Amino acid sequence: MHHSRHEKMYGDIKLYTGTASPELTAKVAEYLGVSVCGRDVVSFPNDNLFVKLHSSVRGQDCYVIQTTSAPVHRNLMELLIMIQTLRLDSAARITAVIPYLCYARSDKKDQPRVPITARLVADMIEVAGADRYITLDLHAGQIQGFFTIPGDVLTAFHILLDYLNSIKHRMHSPVVVTADLGFAKKGRNFAAGINAPMAFIEKRRVANDAKAEALTIIGDVRDRDCVLVDDEIDTGGTMVQAVNLLKDFGARNIFMVFVHPVFSANAVQRLAALPVTEYITTDSIALSPERRAPFGDRLKILSVSPLLGEVILRANQGRSVGEMFNE
Ligand code: R5P
């Protein structure tokens, strides 16, 4: 058989989705100009899952897009089973595309007798048969080291920043604020990106009582519009506290910016009730119409699909991803 010099190394792109990411996958497929491959995912009466591919992937370059938000264990298990199914069907290469990686906050033993679950998750993804992974704004960069397979750890930073710059004319003396000192360094990049100063909210224990905290603001927020940034919103507790504090300190409009809308417990109701001008996030985790509704038109969801699509395209063609970001 004749092999042309331009023959693809890993075959054609075969795009699959778990049940957690159908809309995002459809958008990535549109970007790539391919259709999403068919598969069945069945949950048996005993709660065991079953996957069947509709067509062969032998020799192909396969991508499974599955975010691992709630229901976390179902979504994770689906991802693992799909990877194994592709492996057993002799895919040439399998990439797990996980826009939001679960358990990323369990990344070290910070007290005795506890697990490091992010490591366990990384191991399971590898054991299932993934050759590579793609993810977005990992809570802790060190988690890259929990994988031995190569990965592309992307960031929605440029997408969020472009949007912020497009609405900056609506802001009055903007200041970028981080509610969590752990995000201070990344917050600094946002501030530089929109050419604004920074402020930090500092939390401090004031007594032995676990809940006794004093909050202070380092920096100037009075009569300024605040761009409150974080990587994820889980229960919303951090942001509720931050917004109330900013208002106490005389902040004007508040723009809340975060990559992953985890929105556990009653986060949607708590957040939507806040005096916030706009909530700016991504589709790394799908939000149903019911969950979007309480925010009305204050919720702006920016799609990460062009980013994921372009990285998948480049991975398939064996081209640099870094050069997308001038790196
Ligand atoms: C914390 O380390 C993260 O950056 C977020 O601040 C945290 O996940 C938010 O959690 P919650 O919304 O439950 O306060």
Side-chain angles (χ1 to χ4, degrees), residues 105 139 179-180 183 203 230-239:
R105 284 157 81 179
H139 182 67
D180 185 308
F183 202 71
K203 245 186 255 182
D230 210 342
D231 59 342
E232 65 175 56
I233 296 186
D234 184 0
T235 64
T238 307
M239 284 301 197

Side-chain angles (χ1 to χ4, degrees), residues 225-246:
D225 282 356
C226 293
V227 181
L228 189 53
V229 292
D230 210 342
D231 59 342
E232 65 175 56
I233 296 186
D234 184 0
T235 64
T238 307
M239 284 301 197
V240 169
Q241 261 188 343
V243 168
N244 291 334
L245 191 73
L246 290 174

Side-chain angles (χ1 to χ4, degrees), residues 6-140:
H6 297 289
E7 195 169 345
K8 286 185 182 153
M9 282 187 291
Y10 306 103
D12 292 336
I13 295 174
K14 296 287 174 192
L15 199 59
Y16 284 87
T17 181
T19 60
S21 299
E23 297 93 353
L24 178 61
T25 306
K27 287 184 181 164
V28 172
E30 199 182 310
Y31 183 92
L32 291 168
V34 302
S35 37
V36 181
C37 297
R39 88 297 183 253
D40 297 328
V41 178
V42 179
S43 177
F44 288 130
N46 64 1
D47 215 27
N48 288 192
L49 293 169
F50 172 77
V51 168
K52 181 174 169 66
L53 311 179
H54 290 181
S55 51
S56 167
V57 293
R58 190 181 294 272
Q60 305 302 324
D61 191 20
C62 300
Y63 296 81
V64 186
I65 304 184
Q66 170 78 328
T67 209
T68 51
S69 55
V72 174
H73 303 120
R74 151 102 200 205
N75 289 339
L76 177 62
M77 204 60 206
E78 244 183 45
L79 171 69
L80 299 172
I81 295 172
M82 289 183 77
I83 293 169
Q84 195 216 31
T85 310
L86 294 164
R87 172 60 67 218
L88 295 178
D89 196 46
S90 306
R93 187 172 69 164
I94 302 164
T95 303
V97 184
I98 314 164
Y100 175 71
L101 183 68
C102 61
Y103 285 106
R105 284 157 81 179
S106 174
D107 64 341
K108 58 179 148 331
K109 285 186 69 170
D110 49 7
Q111 48 180 307
R113 302 180 297 279
V114 297
I116 304 175
T117 315
R119 173 59 198 255
L120 177 62
V121 169
D123 283 344
M124 289 194 292
I125 291 167
E126 292 193 22
V127 167
D131 298 294
R132 302 178 66 258
Y133 68 98
I134 295 175
T135 189
L136 203 64
D137 290 288
L138 272 181
H139 182 67

Side-chain angles (χ1 to χ4, degrees), residues 18 38 94 107 109 136 144 153 158 227-228 231 247 251 253 257 280 298 314:
I94 302 164
D107 64 341
K109 285 186 69 170
L136 203 64
Q144 294 165 31
V153 178
H158 306 92
V227 181
L228 189 53
D231 59 342
K247 285 293 178 187
N253 295 334
V257 182
I280 300 153
R298 294 183 295 158
R314 285 167 180 259

Side-chain angles (χ1 to χ4, degrees), residues 93 140 161 199 260 273:
R93 187 172 69 164
L161 195 64
H260 304 296

